[in-house]
Amino acid sequence: RSALSALVESVGAEWSIQDGELQVRVPTGGTAETAVKLTPESGLIDSPQQTEAGVEVVSLLQPTISPGRRFVLESRDFKGVYRAKEVRHEGDSGWGQPFYTHIVGVPVEA
């Protein structure tokens, strides 16, 4: 792990393992998958929040979003293309439990 991190960081990239596959990419790049659109009409919950880590977004469950995937964010305060840096899906099969996706995104360079 430390050797891989050192190698990848030496060329300005980052790595993670998603669905059992190694992903290596530049920090502001994303996967080749089509970007997911997040708007109030598509399940965006409340307003995204800007933090030191990036923009924090909560939406109704978006199971196709995983770290590295791009998303287009359109809200009152944010518009742009972001890469999911952190993703946490929340849900339970019990009645009355929320099914949300929590995302920390970073802007994608144009």
Side-chain angles (χ1 to χ4, degrees):
R1 169 173 254 176
S2 61
L4 179 59
S5 292
L7 177 65
V8 170
E9 289 170 6
S10 74
V11 295
E14 60 184 21
W15 70 275
S16 67
I17 296 177
Q18 303 301 323
D19 297 324
E21 293 184 13
L22 176 66
Q23 288 186 4
V24 178
R25 63 189 168 287
V26 295
T28 56
T31 65
E33 299 168 295
T34 302
V36 174
K37 191 170 186 178
L38 294 177
T39 67
E41 293 77 23
S42 70
L44 188 63
I45 306 291
D46 297 326
S47 286
Q49 300 295 314
Q50 185 68 52
T51 67
E52 286 186 27
V55 62
E56 292 186 1
V57 178
V58 178
S59 75
L60 296 178
L61 187 64
Q62 299 286 336
T64 61
I65 295 182
S66 60
R69 184 143 190 195
R70 291 181 177 148
F71 62 96
V72 177
L73 180 59
E74 293 182 6
S75 72
R76 184 183 51 164
D77 298 321
F78 293 89
K79 288 188 185 342
V81 180
Y82 295 82
R83 178 183 55 86
K85 183 175 180 181
E86 298 173 25
V87 178
R88 180 173 56 88
H89 300 291
E90 172 188 359
D92 192 316
S93 60
W95 295 100
Q97 298 296 321
F99 283 89
Y100 296 139
T101 298
H102 301 263
I103 307 163
V104 175
V106 293
V108 173
E109 292 179 357

